[in-house]
Amino acid sequence: MRNVLFLIQKEFIQIVRDKTMLPIILIIPFVQLIILVYAATFDMKNIDMVVIDMDMSSMSRKLISKFEGSPFFRVNKSTFNLKEANDEMTKDRADLILQIPADFEKDLLTGGKAPVQLLVNAINSTAAGLTNAYSNYVIADFNKNIIAENVNYIAPAHVQMIDVSYRFWYNQSLDYKIYMLSGILVILVTIIGAFLTAINIVREKEMGTIEQINVTPIIKYQFIMGKLIPFWVIALLELAFGLTLGKIMFNVPMLGSLWLLFGFAAVYLLVALGFGLLVSTLASNQQQVMFIIFFFLLTFILMSGIFTPVESMPEWAKHVNIVNPFAYFMRVIRMILLKGSGFSDIAKEFYSLLIYGIILLSLAVWRYRKKV
Amino acid sequence: MQKASIIVKDVTKKYGNSTALNGLSLEVEHAEIFGLIGPDGAGKTSLFRILTSLLVPDSGMASLEGFDVVKDYREIRKIVGYMPGRFSLYFDLTVQENLEFFATIFGTSIQQNYDLIKDIYSQIEPFKNRKAGKLSGGMKQKLALSCAMIHKPQVLILDEPTTGVDAVSRKEFWEMLKALKKEGITILVSTPYMDEAILCDRVALIQKGRILSIEEPQKIIVQYAHDLYSICTDNMFDLLEDLRNFSKSNSAFRFGDTIHLSVKSGFEKAELVHYLEGKNHEQIEIGKIDPEIEDCFMELMTDENKI
């Protein structure tokens, strides 16, 4: 154990002395939390739209002002020419074209049926779906008002409707930021942990210092422990730092026990760092480490459910996620912070990761060769 | 009856198709400075890595102070001090931190073995708070030697310790090795400098993973069988080729700004002058010289290649 302590001490001296490393450890969480939480949002705002109003009646203007009054839409242009409107969409200056035909008002008041056309830019299918839903909602709302205003048509009292009322649990205001923040915290501690450990051992290889270490009586597991513990501590501090920022800047809810969260993170980091250590015992230079880690991180992050729910992924993807440590922590951090889940709720994830971590670390110790 | 300090027997090591060590054997006595000389790729570093338990030989055996390098690798790591060819201490740690780190890893402290490294370390002690990466080449070597010595090893293995070090520091370095030898430490050292080979108790010439000759440096020179001449002319470019084509020449190698020609018996200086003049050489200078160890080595190498 004495040797491990000296290795850890040496590691910390080197980390503190490194003039670029320390700022990176402190600045990365700030940048990631501030930029990503605000930028990576699914809330649709400012949908650019072009209006073709062939009717120019009070009804058509009322419909348009409904769109203008909504926070989601921004009427950028009005024209009478469909081609001109299409050009706007081709130039990516419009996501939605609303076409109101002539006689819109007349049809509405006499026939009761007046068609309008919506053209939606569907390059991003999710955004297109939302745009379509929002516009339909605006038009439906407009419909209701027409019915209300034209009392002589059908009395509103006679309309029987099922009134569905919603309540969104665990995130009542559907604040996407809270959801993102917890996910980004996971990425943050993983990147810091996995990259730092992986690069560290490889740098000893590149500098040749590992040669000198290898001729000492130090035992393999001591060396791996000496490399694991410093970055494990740093990653946990990073999590605490990120959570503090999240509390201050976004008032992220913390319903569950923070002890439980850190306990789980401690186990999760065994996996993340064990993975980094394993890669660095296999790779022979920093470039290889970068490519390998980057490949796995990118794949795992996108599959982890940070943006899209794991439940809607195909079956095989769910199976792949069994080996994706991100997916476990991504789910658990949200359960603990947003739902207030207790240990029994996350026990399965906890033990899975514990076994996973022990396997990875054993592999790393086994793969680390003092001899060639 | 005490066995030799380092014993290497029929050690072979291959990397894929290339053979680094080809049945190499040697013995180094206690408290001996044993030099290993050979061109790049001769297998010196591979041998050192086997002796320091970093590399496992394909066949053959090697032992240090009676400990087998494969079986007893844990013991080996306690008794051996190794200085790799590349400076391999932590650049971002200070002189003192490096030394302390290696001392503690070996379960000792600077104070405990200060006497042993005092002569070396005292020279770099004024800079003990300087980062190792900011030291000059000579000081780096002294620090590396201190770190390799801090656990009082019985065997010291130095891979080209003076490469890239200035002449004064090299001289100091060798004086330190002589002092360590007096402490009873066995020293195995490789060097590309022939003038350092003279300073060893015995030297081995190694090429293509095999030992060509093991002798005291003076004996190697005495054994040199041919007469040796140093030659230069106005046309050095063609001279080497012309000398090699000369009927009585044995071998010719460039040594700095002259060419050393070893000749067969019955050589006449006048005959060579006549031959060279026939090849349009002018300002011909020919002087008989005493062979140096490098000449011997070149000779041995060419003999080996002929076989």
Side-chain angles (χ1 to χ4, degrees):
Chain A
M1 271 327 279
R2 218 173 130 262
N3 280 350
V4 178
L5 285 178
F6 288 122
L7 275 173
I8 294 171
Q9 185 192 11
K10 181 216 84 174
E11 220 56 62
F12 271 115
I13 293 177
Q14 287 184 297
I15 294 165
V16 172
R17 196 159 289 166
D18 192 328
K19 287 200 173 61
T20 49
M21 210 58 243
L22 215 54
I24 286 174
I25 293 174
L26 293 175
I27 288 168
I28 279 185
F30 258 120
V31 175
Q32 285 208 321
L33 289 177
I34 295 173
I35 295 182
L36 292 183
V37 170
Y38 280 117
T41 167
F42 273 177
D43 294 342
M44 294 285 293
K45 270 182 200 151
N46 304 327
I47 300 167
D48 292 312
M49 68 185 287
V50 174
V51 173
I52 310 171
D53 185 0
M54 308 295 260
D55 195 39
M56 295 297 276
S57 63
S58 69
M59 275 296 180
S60 69
R61 247 171 277 145
K62 210 176 251 172
L63 177 60
I64 292 163
S65 68
K66 262 238 166 300
F67 274 98
E68 280 174 331
S70 140
F72 303 112
F73 298 96
R74 193 164 60 189
V75 178
N76 282 346
K77 198 180 171 94
S78 293
T79 175
F80 297 105
N81 186 342
L82 180 61
K83 196 182 163 295
E84 206 178 317
N86 278 338
D87 282 349
E88 286 294 297
M89 198 178 272
T90 322
K91 286 174 189 155
D92 214 24
R93 289 204 289 244
D95 294 314
L96 174 69
I97 299 172
L98 171 69
Q99 194 180 10
I100 305 171
D103 301 332
F104 172 73
E105 189 179 51
K106 197 174 124 211
D107 289 348
L108 200 62
L109 293 177
T110 55
K113 195 172 184 181
V116 292
Q117 187 181 30
L118 288 174
L119 299 169
V120 184
N121 170 14
I123 282 182
N124 179 339
S125 58
T126 318
L130 283 169
T131 305
N132 187 32
Y134 286 176
S135 336
N136 276 320
Y137 188 78
V138 172
I139 293 168
D141 195 42
F142 175 77
N143 258 338
K144 237 199 267 175
N145 286 345
I146 297 205
I147 295 161
E149 278 164 22
N150 297 282
V151 254
N152 54 343
Y153 184 59
I154 302 168
H158 292 219
V159 182
Q160 299 292 327
M161 274 203 275
I162 299 167
D163 188 20
V164 183
S165 73
Y166 301 91
R167 186 140 187 236
F168 298 103
W169 279 25
Y170 309 126
N171 185 359
Q172 297 200 5
S173 52
L174 289 182
D175 185 354
Y176 199 76
K177 290 199 272 295
I178 290 171
Y179 182 76
M180 275 313 287
L181 183 107
S182 47
I184 284 166
L185 278 176
V186 172
I187 295 179
L188 189 69
V189 296
T190 315
I191 288 182
I192 292 280
F195 263 111
L196 285 186
T197 36
I199 286 179
N200 187 284
I201 293 189
V202 161
R203 197 166 51 198
E204 293 230 9
K205 283 188 193 172
E206 283 185 346
M207 301 289 286
T209 49
I210 204 148
E211 190 102 328
Q212 198 82 61
I213 289 275
N214 284 350
V215 289
T216 67
I218 214 159
I219 302 165
K220 290 204 289 184
Y221 84 86
Q222 292 177 334
F223 180 76
I224 294 288
M225 295 255 288
K227 290 291 178 192
L228 172 79
I229 294 170
F231 298 104
W232 185 76
V233 171
I234 287 175
L236 282 176
L237 287 175
E238 192 80 5
L239 178 63
F241 187 49
L243 274 175
T244 315
L245 285 182
K247 187 77 194 163
I248 295 170
M249 296 195 300
F250 304 101
N251 196 24
V252 68
M254 295 176 185
L255 297 179
S257 150
L258 283 182
W259 290 111
L260 181 63
L261 180 63
F262 276 90
F264 190 88
V267 171
Y268 167 75
L269 284 171
L270 293 183
V271 178
L273 302 195
F275 175 68
L277 286 169
L278 182 59
V279 170
S280 68
T281 53
L282 296 169
S284 50
N285 58 52
Q286 296 194 31
Q287 268 164 334
Q288 292 175 3
V289 165
M290 284 293 190
F291 276 112
I292 298 172
I293 299 257
F294 187 73
F295 167 75
F296 279 103
L297 280 190
L298 201 63
T299 317
F300 280 166
I301 288 174
L302 289 178
M303 293 193 68
S304 69
I306 183 171
F307 300 120
T308 47
V310 176
E311 287 74 17
S312 53
M313 290 180 188
E315 273 307 307
W316 62 263
K318 284 185 208 166
H319 289 305
V320 171
N321 265 336
I322 291 171
V323 294
N324 182 354
F326 279 95
Y328 290 85
F329 196 30
M330 201 70 79
R331 188 159 65 231
V332 168
I333 195 174
R334 285 167 179 165
M335 282 167 77
I336 296 176
L337 285 181
L338 309 183
K339 271 208 279 197
S341 302
F343 180 73
S344 56
D345 304 312
I346 60 157
K348 194 180 143 221
E349 280 84 356
F350 183 86
Y351 292 120
S352 308
L353 281 186
L354 190 60
I355 294 166
Y356 196 178
I358 290 168
I359 291 173
L360 279 181
L361 285 174
S362 315
L363 276 177
V365 172
W366 173 72
R367 264 309 313 179
Y368 164 52
R369 294 289 152 88
K370 290 184 87 169
K371 308 169 194 255
V372 196
Chain B
M1 203 31 226
Q2 223 179 353
K3 281 205 286 184
S5 174
I6 303 176
I7 302 170
V8 180
K9 230 172 157 181
D10 297 327
V11 163
T12 300
K13 180 74 195 174
K14 288 191 169 87
Y15 299 104
N17 284 329
S18 70
T19 306
L21 296 175
N22 189 4
L24 186 142
S25 300
L26 61 82
E27 286 192 9
V28 181
E29 297 303 324
H30 292 272
E32 183 180 30
I33 301 183
F34 193 96
L36 212 51
I37 307 168
D40 288 339
K44 294 179 303 233
T45 301
S46 294
L47 176 63
F48 286 0
R49 289 173 62 86
I50 285 173
L51 290 176
T52 50
S53 84
L54 293 175
L55 200 65
V56 180
D58 295 335
S59 65
M61 68 78 68
S63 70
L64 266 65
E65 300 288 337
F67 294 112
D68 187 279
V69 292
V70 180
K71 272 207 314 276
D72 309 317
Y73 67 94
R74 290 206 174 165
E75 296 302 321
I76 293 288
R77 284 171 189 164
K78 284 179 198 151
I79 60 159
V80 71
Y82 177 42
M83 221 177 117
R86 246 170 90 200
F87 181 72
S88 49
L89 301 175
Y90 293 98
F91 275 68
D92 44 358
L93 296 185
T94 64
V95 168
Q96 194 174 8
E97 282 164 348
N98 264 303
L99 197 57
E100 261 168 15
F101 175 69
F102 284 103
T104 49
I105 290 295
F106 278 105
T108 177
S109 65
I110 300 182
Q111 288 74 30
Q112 232 171 332
N113 290 325
Y114 189 75
D115 283 349
L116 189 65
I117 59 160
K118 194 176 67 191
D119 290 344
I120 315 160
Y121 187 58
S122 60
Q123 296 181 37
I124 49 174
E125 215 166 359
F127 312 101
K128 66 181 182 183
N129 291 323
R130 190 182 289 191
K131 284 184 194 167
K134 295 222 156 61
L135 293 174
S136 69
M139 286 202 281
K140 271 183 189 154
Q141 295 312 94
K142 282 169 197 161
L143 175 60
L145 185 60
S146 302
C147 286
M149 290 300 303
I150 191 66
H151 59 295
K152 209 172 193 307
Q154 294 167 38
V155 179
L156 197 55
I157 293 179
L158 311 168
D159 195 356
E160 302 200 353
T162 51
T163 302
V165 174
D166 67 87
V168 178
S169 295
R170 270 170 59 193
K171 199 160 165 287
E172 283 174 1
F173 194 86
W174 275 88
E175 271 154 26
M176 286 172 211
L177 293 189
K178 290 228 159 110
L180 291 174
K181 170 190 149 89
K182 288 207 183 82
E183 300 274 338
I185 294 170
T186 309
I187 299 170
L188 178 60
V189 54
S190 70
T191 175
Y193 300 110
M194 298 299 164
D195 55 338
E196 291 183 348
I198 298 284
L199 302 171
C200 300
D201 295 328
R202 285 193 299 159
V203 289
L205 304 184
I206 176 173
Q207 192 192 18
K208 292 179 181 166
R210 288 166 69 175
I211 300 280
L212 303 184
S213 152
I214 301 179
E215 288 295 351
E216 287 162 34
Q218 297 309 326
K219 271 196 196 153
I220 287 188
I221 296 170
V222 170
Q223 280 173 355
Y224 194 81
H226 310 284
D227 284 342
L228 195 68
Y229 291 88
S230 167
I231 300 163
C232 67
T233 68
D234 64 332
N235 183 3
M236 293 303 284
F237 187 71
D238 293 327
L239 182 60
L240 187 62
E241 204 51 42
D242 289 341
L243 284 176
R244 281 184 177 160
N245 291 332
F246 180 54
S247 59
K248 295 246 168 62
S249 104
N250 209 2
S251 67
F253 292 101
R254 185 178 278 276
F255 274 67
D257 49 9
T258 67
I259 285 172
H260 287 191
L261 175 72
S262 107
V263 293
K264 291 172 182 160
S265 51
F267 168 80
E268 290 290 335
K269 200 169 155 181
E271 190 188 348
L272 176 63
V273 173
H274 183 73
Y275 167 78
L276 288 177
E277 278 170 350
K279 296 270 181 189
N280 295 321
H281 287 277
E282 287 173 22
Q283 299 166 27
I284 301 166
E285 289 175 37
I286 301 176
K288 191 164 189 309
I289 51 166
D290 289 328
E292 289 174 32
I293 193 151
E294 198 166 355
D295 296 304
C296 308
F297 185 46
M298 290 304 215
E299 177 92 357
L300 280 161
M301 267 173 51
T302 33
D303 286 353
E304 176 77 2
N305 283 338
K306 277 173 200 156
I307 301 163

